[in-house]
Amino acid sequence: MPATSIVGFQFGDEGKGKIVDWKSRDYAYEFVVRTGGGANAGHTIENDMGTFKLHLMPSGIFASPGTNAVIGNGVVIDAEMLLKEIDDIGKKLPIEQLLLVSDKAHLVMPWHKLIDRLVEESRGSGKIGTTGRGIGPCYADKASRVGIRVGELLDVEQLLIKLSPMLHLKRCEIMAQFQQSKIDLPTFAELAKTLRIQAALLRPYIKDAGAILRSAHQEGRKILLEGAQGTMLDIDHGTYPYVTSSCATSAGACQGSGLPPSAITRVIGVAKAYTTRVGEGPFRSELTDEIGERLRQIGKEFGTTTGRSRRCGWFDVEIVRESAEINGATEIILTKLDVLSGLPTIKIVYGPNRRPPQVGDVPGWQETIEDARTWDKLPENAKSYVKTLEAMVGVRISHVATGPHRDSIIEVP
Ligand code: IMP
C-alpha cells in the first residue's frame, strides 16, 4: 500500500494537524509518522477524550483505535516533553501498544536549549525568532556527529560515561563563546539522575522504527507521513537563514522515516487561504495594516508553541507553486477559507520570488461560510477565489476547509 505524505506549503501552521486527523479517520491509516522537527511544532487536538496540546506526538494518534504512532528518526526529541505527552495520552489510550520511537532519533539536551537562547540573544536585530526549543543546536550536533541518539538510552550507563566529558566541554564552550561566568546547566549528577529516569520510562517505546515501517509498507499497510513546519521553513528550500533546521518536505519525510521515496505515491500539500509566518524572515505579501490584524484575530493566529502573534498577509501564489514543485504535490487542501469572509476585495500576490510582487484583486464575499458543508453552498465569489488560486498555482485543490471542525472540510468538484 503506497504511503501518503502531508506537507505544509507555506511557513508552517497551515492546519496540517486537522487534515491529518480527518484523513486518518476516513482512511483508517495503520501508521501515522512524525518525520522531522521537534517540540518547535505544536498542535491542539480537541476530541471526545479531551483537549491535548501536542508537540512531538503525531496528531494522527487519535485517528482510529489501534493506529500506531511513530516518531521517526528525523525528529529531535525533548524527552521531558515527550514523557508529558505520553502521560497525558496514556490516560485515554493504551499508548504502550501504540507508540514507537525511533532509536535513531536524536535527543535535545539541556545545552541545546541554552545555546538556542544565547545565540538568538547574540544575533540582536538579526535574530531568526526561533522557538527556543533547542532545535538548531541539536541538529547541528547531529550533523557534527556528536549528537545523542534515543537508542543510547537503552544502555544509559554507557551513555553517561560518554556524557560526563561532553557536559564539561559544552559548559566550557558556552562560557567562552558567550562570555558567561555562570550558566544554567544541570550538574552531571542531576543530568544522570534525570536520564536514568527518562531511559526507564522511554525504554518500551524505543524501536528500529524504520525497519518496522518498511515491513509494514511491504505488507501493504496504510501509512501516513505527517510533516511538521512548512516547505518555506525547510533547511534547504526555505527562506534561508530564516528557516528551521530540518527537512520539512516530502523528500524529508522519507529521510526522516526510513521509507524509500518510491513508497510515497500521494503528496497532499496544505496551504492556508492566506499566508502567515511566525518569527523573522522575508514575507512579501505581509499586511501590517488593519486587514492583517483582522486576519490575526479572526483566524486566531497566535503560535501554539510560543504564543507569539503570527504575521499575516495575502496568499502568495509563488510560495505555494514552488512548494508544489519541490514536494511533487498530487493535490492541495486549502484551509481557513472562512477567515476571509466579509472582506470587500481579496488580493492575490504572484510573480517570481525575490522580486517586487505583482498583486491582483478579486471580489470578496459577505456571507459566513462556516456552516457550508458542500461546494455548491459556498458563495460564487468564494468558489471563484479557490478556482483562481488553483489555476495560478497549477495544482488541483481537492478540498477546502471552512471552519475548525472535521466536517467543515469540503470536497472541490
Ligand atoms: P526553530 O525551529 O525553533 O529553530 O525556529 C526557526 C524558525 O522556524 C522560526 O521562525 C520559528 O518561528 C519557525 N518555526 C519552527 N517551527 C514552527 C512551526 O511548527 N510552525 C511555524 N513556525 C515554526
Side-chain angles (χ1 to χ4, degrees), residues 11-14 16 34 37-42 116 120 128-137 139 228-230 233 241-246 276-281 303-306 308 310-311:
F11 297 99
D13 309 315
E14 298 92 350
K16 295 178 291 295
R34 255 299 289 274
N40 47 354
D116 195 0
E120 275 289 89
I128 287 172
T130 73
T131 58
R133 295 288 165 91
I135 307 299
Y139 279 113
Q229 288 82 41
L233 290 177
Y242 299 99
V243 291
T244 189
S245 303
S246 57
T276 64
R277 170 164 211 166
V278 208
E280 311 305 313
T304 327
T305 299
T306 58
R308 287 179 290 176
R310 295 180 185 143
R311 298 155 67 194

Short mmCIF file of all heavy atoms in Angstrom, two decimals, residues 11-14 16 34 37-42 116 120 128-137 139 228-230 233 241-246 276-281 303-306 308 310-311, ligand 1:
data_model
loop_
_atom_site.label_atom_id
_atom_site.label_comp_id
_atom_site.label_asym_id
_atom_site.label_seq_id
_atom_site.Cartn_x
_atom_site.Cartn_y
_atom_site.Cartn_z
N PHE A 11 4.61 28.60 5.62
CA PHE A 11 5.61 28.74 6.70
C PHE A 11 5.20 27.97 7.95
O PHE A 11 5.49 28.40 9.07
CB PHE A 11 5.79 30.23 7.05
CG PHE A 11 6.31 31.07 5.92
CD1 PHE A 11 5.45 31.84 5.15
CD2 PHE A 11 7.67 31.09 5.62
CE1 PHE A 11 5.92 32.63 4.12
CE2 PHE A 11 8.15 31.88 4.59
CZ PHE A 11 7.28 32.65 3.83
N GLY A 12 4.52 26.86 7.80
CA GLY A 12 4.03 26.12 8.97
C GLY A 12 2.67 26.67 9.41
O GLY A 12 2.19 27.68 8.87
N ASP A 13 2.04 25.97 10.34
CA ASP A 13 0.73 26.40 10.88
C ASP A 13 -0.36 26.45 9.82
O ASP A 13 -1.29 27.25 9.93
CB ASP A 13 0.84 27.78 11.57
CG ASP A 13 1.98 27.82 12.56
OD1 ASP A 13 2.11 26.87 13.34
OD2 ASP A 13 2.75 28.80 12.55
N GLU A 14 -0.27 25.62 8.81
CA GLU A 14 -1.28 25.64 7.74
C GLU A 14 -2.54 24.88 8.14
O GLU A 14 -3.52 24.87 7.39
CB GLU A 14 -0.72 25.03 6.44
CG GLU A 14 0.47 25.74 5.83
CD GLU A 14 1.79 25.17 6.33
OE1 GLU A 14 1.76 24.35 7.27
OE2 GLU A 14 2.84 25.55 5.80
N LYS A 16 -2.19 21.47 9.27
CA LYS A 16 -1.91 20.08 8.89
C LYS A 16 -2.51 19.09 9.89
O LYS A 16 -3.01 18.04 9.50
CB LYS A 16 -0.39 19.84 8.83
CG LYS A 16 0.32 20.63 7.75
CD LYS A 16 1.80 20.38 7.77
CE LYS A 16 2.52 20.94 8.96
NZ LYS A 16 2.53 22.39 9.10
N ARG A 34 5.53 10.97 12.51
CA ARG A 34 6.20 12.29 12.53
C ARG A 34 7.59 12.07 11.99
O ARG A 34 8.29 11.15 12.43
CB ARG A 34 6.33 12.77 13.97
CG ARG A 34 5.41 13.87 14.50
CD ARG A 34 5.46 15.21 13.84
NE ARG A 34 6.65 16.02 14.05
CZ ARG A 34 6.85 16.83 15.06
NH1 ARG A 34 5.95 16.96 16.00
NH2 ARG A 34 7.94 17.57 15.15
N GLY A 37 11.61 17.73 12.66
CA GLY A 37 11.35 18.80 13.63
C GLY A 37 11.29 18.23 15.04
O GLY A 37 11.67 17.07 15.29
N GLY A 38 10.81 19.04 15.95
CA GLY A 38 10.75 18.60 17.34
C GLY A 38 9.65 19.33 18.05
O GLY A 38 8.57 19.57 17.47
N ALA A 39 9.95 19.77 19.26
CA ALA A 39 8.92 20.44 20.05
C ALA A 39 8.75 21.90 19.62
O ALA A 39 8.06 22.68 20.29
CB ALA A 39 9.25 20.34 21.53
N ASN A 40 9.35 22.28 18.49
CA ASN A 40 9.05 23.59 17.89
C ASN A 40 7.66 23.57 17.26
O ASN A 40 7.03 24.60 17.09
CB ASN A 40 10.11 24.00 16.86
CG ASN A 40 10.46 22.90 15.86
OD1 ASN A 40 10.02 21.77 15.97
ND2 ASN A 40 11.28 23.24 14.89
N ALA A 41 7.21 22.38 16.86
CA ALA A 41 5.86 22.25 16.30
C ALA A 41 4.85 22.19 17.45
O ALA A 41 5.21 21.92 18.59
CB ALA A 41 5.77 20.97 15.48
N GLY A 42 3.61 22.45 17.11
CA GLY A 42 2.59 22.35 18.16
C GLY A 42 1.22 22.26 17.55
O GLY A 42 0.95 22.91 16.54
N ASP A 116 20.52 27.69 22.01
CA ASP A 116 19.49 28.28 21.15
C ASP A 116 19.17 29.70 21.66
O ASP A 116 19.16 30.68 20.90
CB ASP A 116 18.24 27.39 21.20
CG ASP A 116 17.23 27.69 20.08
OD1 ASP A 116 17.50 28.57 19.28
OD2 ASP A 116 16.18 27.02 20.05
N GLU A 120 20.40 33.32 19.86
CA GLU A 120 19.38 34.28 19.45
C GLU A 120 19.64 35.65 20.06
O GLU A 120 19.56 36.67 19.38
CB GLU A 120 17.98 33.78 19.87
CG GLU A 120 17.34 32.82 18.89
CD GLU A 120 16.89 33.46 17.59
OE1 GLU A 120 17.71 33.51 16.65
OE2 GLU A 120 15.74 33.91 17.50
N ILE A 128 16.62 35.14 14.32
CA ILE A 128 15.75 34.34 13.45
C ILE A 128 14.34 34.27 14.04
O ILE A 128 13.37 34.10 13.31
CB ILE A 128 16.37 32.93 13.27
CG1 ILE A 128 17.59 33.03 12.37
CG2 ILE A 128 15.37 31.93 12.69
CD1 ILE A 128 18.41 31.79 12.27
N GLY A 129 14.28 34.42 15.36
CA GLY A 129 12.97 34.27 16.02
C GLY A 129 12.65 32.80 16.24
O GLY A 129 11.53 32.35 15.97
N THR A 130 13.63 32.02 16.70
CA THR A 130 13.40 30.58 16.90
C THR A 130 12.41 30.36 18.04
O THR A 130 12.10 31.28 18.80
CB THR A 130 14.70 29.83 17.26
OG1 THR A 130 15.08 30.15 18.60
CG2 THR A 130 15.84 30.15 16.30
N THR A 131 11.97 29.13 18.16
CA THR A 131 11.02 28.80 19.23
C THR A 131 11.74 28.58 20.56
O THR A 131 11.09 28.36 21.58
CB THR A 131 10.24 27.52 18.88
OG1 THR A 131 11.19 26.46 18.66
CG2 THR A 131 9.40 27.70 17.63
N GLY A 132 13.06 28.58 20.54
CA GLY A 132 13.83 28.41 21.78
C GLY A 132 13.81 26.97 22.31
O GLY A 132 14.13 26.72 23.47
N ARG A 133 13.45 26.03 21.46
CA ARG A 133 13.33 24.63 21.92
C ARG A 133 14.60 23.81 21.66
O ARG A 133 14.56 22.58 21.72
CB ARG A 133 12.12 23.98 21.24
CG ARG A 133 10.79 24.61 21.64
CD ARG A 133 10.46 24.22 23.08
NE ARG A 133 9.42 25.01 23.67
CZ ARG A 133 8.13 24.73 23.64
NH1 ARG A 133 7.71 23.67 23.01
NH2 ARG A 133 7.26 25.50 24.27
N GLY A 134 15.68 24.49 21.31
CA GLY A 134 16.96 23.79 21.16
C GLY A 134 17.10 23.04 19.84
O GLY A 134 17.99 22.20 19.67
N ILE A 135 16.22 23.37 18.87
CA ILE A 135 16.15 22.59 17.64
C ILE A 135 17.45 22.72 16.80
O ILE A 135 18.08 21.72 16.46
CB ILE A 135 14.93 23.04 16.79
CG1 ILE A 135 13.64 22.98 17.64
CG2 ILE A 135 14.83 22.25 15.50
CD1 ILE A 135 13.25 21.63 18.16
N GLY A 136 17.82 23.98 16.50
CA GLY A 136 19.01 24.19 15.66
C GLY A 136 20.27 23.57 16.26
O GLY A 136 20.96 22.78 15.61
N PRO A 137 20.58 23.86 17.54
CA PRO A 137 21.80 23.28 18.13
C PRO A 137 21.76 21.75 18.17
O PRO A 137 22.80 21.10 18.03
CB PRO A 137 21.81 23.89 19.54
CG PRO A 137 21.08 25.19 19.39
CD PRO A 137 20.00 24.92 18.38
N TYR A 139 20.22 19.71 15.92
CA TYR A 139 20.52 19.23 14.56
C TYR A 139 21.98 19.53 14.20
O TYR A 139 22.60 18.79 13.44
CB TYR A 139 19.58 19.88 13.54
CG TYR A 139 18.22 19.21 13.44
CD1 TYR A 139 17.06 19.88 13.84
CD2 TYR A 139 18.09 17.91 12.94
CE1 TYR A 139 15.82 19.27 13.74
CE2 TYR A 139 16.84 17.31 12.84
CZ TYR A 139 15.71 17.99 13.24
OH TYR A 139 14.48 17.38 13.13
N ALA A 228 5.95 18.32 9.61
CA ALA A 228 5.91 19.43 10.58
C ALA A 228 6.49 20.67 9.88
O ALA A 228 7.17 20.56 8.87
CB ALA A 228 6.72 19.09 11.81
N GLN A 229 6.20 21.85 10.42
CA GLN A 229 6.61 23.12 9.81
C GLN A 229 6.10 23.22 8.37
O GLN A 229 5.09 22.60 8.06
CB GLN A 229 8.14 23.29 9.89
CG GLN A 229 8.66 23.58 11.29
CD GLN A 229 8.84 22.34 12.15
OE1 GLN A 229 9.30 21.33 11.68
NE2 GLN A 229 8.46 22.44 13.41
N GLY A 230 6.80 23.92 7.51
CA GLY A 230 6.31 24.09 6.13
C GLY A 230 7.51 24.18 5.20
O GLY A 230 8.64 24.42 5.63
N LEU A 233 10.05 26.81 5.42
CA LEU A 233 10.94 26.77 6.60
C LEU A 233 11.95 25.64 6.47
O LEU A 233 12.74 25.39 7.39
CB LEU A 233 10.13 26.57 7.89
CG LEU A 233 9.26 27.75 8.34
CD1 LEU A 233 8.47 27.36 9.60
CD2 LEU A 233 10.09 28.99 8.64
N PRO A 241 18.53 32.33 5.80
CA PRO A 241 18.70 31.55 7.03
C PRO A 241 17.47 31.57 7.94
O PRO A 241 17.54 31.06 9.04
CB PRO A 241 19.87 32.26 7.71
CG PRO A 241 19.70 33.70 7.33
CD PRO A 241 19.11 33.67 5.93
N TYR A 242 16.38 32.17 7.49
CA TYR A 242 15.18 32.26 8.34
C TYR A 242 14.35 30.98 8.16
O TYR A 242 13.26 31.00 7.56
CB TYR A 242 14.37 33.51 8.00
CG TYR A 242 15.17 34.77 8.24
CD1 TYR A 242 15.81 35.42 7.18
CD2 TYR A 242 15.33 35.28 9.52
CE1 TYR A 242 16.57 36.55 7.40
CE2 TYR A 242 16.10 36.41 9.75
CZ TYR A 242 16.71 37.04 8.68
OH TYR A 242 17.48 38.15 8.91
N VAL A 243 14.91 29.91 8.61
CA VAL A 243 14.30 28.59 8.42
C VAL A 243 14.48 27.79 9.70
O VAL A 243 15.19 28.23 10.62
CB VAL A 243 15.00 27.82 7.26
CG1 VAL A 243 14.69 28.46 5.92
CG2 VAL A 243 16.50 27.74 7.49
N THR A 244 13.87 26.62 9.76
CA THR A 244 14.18 25.71 10.85
C THR A 244 15.36 24.84 10.39
O THR A 244 15.95 25.09 9.34
CB THR A 244 12.94 24.91 11.28
OG1 THR A 244 13.24 24.20 12.47
CG2 THR A 244 12.46 23.95 10.19
N SER A 245 15.72 23.84 11.17
CA SER A 245 16.95 23.11 10.85
C SER A 245 16.69 21.71 10.32
O SER A 245 17.61 20.90 10.23
CB SER A 245 17.83 23.03 12.10
OG SER A 245 18.08 24.33 12.58
N SER A 246 15.46 21.42 9.97
CA SER A 246 15.13 20.08 9.49
C SER A 246 14.57 20.15 8.08
O SER A 246 14.39 21.22 7.52
CB SER A 246 14.11 19.44 10.44
OG SER A 246 12.97 20.25 10.52
N THR A 276 0.59 33.07 6.69
CA THR A 276 1.07 33.53 7.99
C THR A 276 2.50 33.07 8.18
O THR A 276 2.95 32.11 7.57
CB THR A 276 0.23 32.98 9.17
OG1 THR A 276 0.35 31.56 9.22
CG2 THR A 276 -1.23 33.37 9.07
N ARG A 277 3.18 33.76 9.08
CA ARG A 277 4.56 33.39 9.41
C ARG A 277 4.83 33.79 10.85
O ARG A 277 4.45 34.90 11.26
CB ARG A 277 5.49 34.13 8.44
CG ARG A 277 6.94 34.03 8.78
CD ARG A 277 7.93 34.41 7.68
NE ARG A 277 9.09 33.57 7.94
CZ ARG A 277 10.08 33.33 7.14
NH1 ARG A 277 10.11 33.88 5.96
NH2 ARG A 277 11.07 32.54 7.50
N VAL A 278 5.49 32.91 11.61
CA VAL A 278 5.94 33.30 12.96
C VAL A 278 7.44 33.46 12.90
O VAL A 278 8.11 32.69 12.23
CB VAL A 278 5.71 32.20 14.04
CG1 VAL A 278 5.53 32.79 15.41
CG2 VAL A 278 4.62 31.25 13.69
N GLY A 279 7.96 34.43 13.61
CA GLY A 279 9.40 34.64 13.58
C GLY A 279 9.78 35.57 12.44
O GLY A 279 8.93 36.09 11.70
N GLU A 280 11.10 35.76 12.29
CA GLU A 280 11.59 36.74 11.32
C GLU A 280 11.67 36.12 9.92
O GLU A 280 11.40 34.95 9.75
CB GLU A 280 12.98 37.23 11.75
CG GLU A 280 13.09 37.66 13.20
CD GLU A 280 12.08 38.73 13.59
OE1 GLU A 280 11.93 39.70 12.82
OE2 GLU A 280 11.43 38.57 14.64
N GLY A 281 12.08 36.97 8.95
CA GLY A 281 12.30 36.46 7.60
C GLY A 281 11.38 37.10 6.59
O GLY A 281 10.38 37.72 6.94
N GLY A 303 0.80 31.63 17.93
CA GLY A 303 1.51 30.35 17.89
C GLY A 303 1.10 29.40 19.01
O GLY A 303 0.93 29.82 20.15
N THR A 304 0.97 28.11 18.67
CA THR A 304 0.63 27.10 19.68
C THR A 304 1.81 26.83 20.60
O THR A 304 1.65 26.52 21.78
CB THR A 304 0.29 25.75 18.98
OG1 THR A 304 -0.31 26.01 17.73
CG2 THR A 304 -0.62 24.89 19.81
N THR A 305 3.01 26.96 20.08
CA THR A 305 4.18 26.61 20.88
C THR A 305 4.66 27.79 21.72
O THR A 305 4.97 27.64 22.90
CB THR A 305 5.31 26.12 19.94
OG1 THR A 305 4.82 24.96 19.27
CG2 THR A 305 6.57 25.77 20.70
N THR A 306 4.71 28.97 21.14
CA THR A 306 5.28 30.11 21.87
C THR A 306 4.25 31.18 22.21
O THR A 306 4.56 32.11 22.94
CB THR A 306 6.40 30.77 21.02
OG1 THR A 306 5.80 31.17 19.78
CG2 THR A 306 7.55 29.83 20.75
N ARG A 308 3.32 33.42 20.33
CA ARG A 308 3.61 34.67 19.62
C ARG A 308 2.54 34.95 18.56
O ARG A 308 1.96 34.03 18.00
CB ARG A 308 4.95 34.55 18.88
CG ARG A 308 6.15 34.59 19.78
CD ARG A 308 7.43 34.44 18.99
NE ARG A 308 7.61 33.11 18.44
CZ ARG A 308 8.62 32.75 17.66
NH1 ARG A 308 9.54 33.63 17.30
NH2 ARG A 308 8.72 31.52 17.22
N ARG A 310 1.19 35.63 15.02
CA ARG A 310 1.68 35.30 13.68
C ARG A 310 1.54 36.51 12.79
O ARG A 310 0.56 37.24 12.86
CB ARG A 310 0.89 34.14 13.10
CG ARG A 310 1.08 32.85 13.88
CD ARG A 310 0.28 31.70 13.30
NE ARG A 310 0.40 30.54 14.16
CZ ARG A 310 -0.57 29.67 14.41
NH1 ARG A 310 -1.75 29.83 13.86
NH2 ARG A 310 -0.37 28.65 15.20
N ARG A 311 2.52 36.73 11.92
CA ARG A 311 2.41 37.78 10.90
C ARG A 311 1.44 37.26 9.85
O ARG A 311 1.47 36.07 9.51
CB ARG A 311 3.79 38.03 10.28
CG ARG A 311 4.82 38.52 11.30
CD ARG A 311 6.25 38.22 10.89
NE ARG A 311 6.68 38.94 9.72
CZ ARG A 311 7.79 38.63 9.03
NH1 ARG A 311 8.56 37.61 9.41
NH2 ARG A 311 8.15 39.34 7.98
P1 IMP B 1 13.31 26.81 15.30
O1 IMP B 1 12.73 25.67 14.51
O2 IMP B 1 12.83 26.86 16.71
O3 IMP B 1 14.81 26.84 15.20
O4 IMP B 1 12.81 28.19 14.63
C1 IMP B 1 13.23 28.59 13.33
C2 IMP B 1 12.09 29.33 12.62
O5 IMP B 1 11.07 28.41 12.29
C3 IMP B 1 11.40 30.40 13.47
O6 IMP B 1 11.00 31.46 12.62
C4 IMP B 1 10.18 29.70 14.04
O7 IMP B 1 9.15 30.59 14.36
C5 IMP B 1 9.82 28.82 12.85
N1 IMP B 1 9.09 27.61 13.23
C6 IMP B 1 9.60 26.47 13.76
N2 IMP B 1 8.65 25.55 13.95
C7 IMP B 1 7.50 26.10 13.53
C8 IMP B 1 6.15 25.62 13.44
O8 IMP B 1 5.81 24.48 13.79
N3 IMP B 1 5.23 26.50 12.92
C9 IMP B 1 5.58 27.74 12.47
N4 IMP B 1 6.82 28.22 12.55
C10 IMP B 1 7.78 27.41 13.06
#
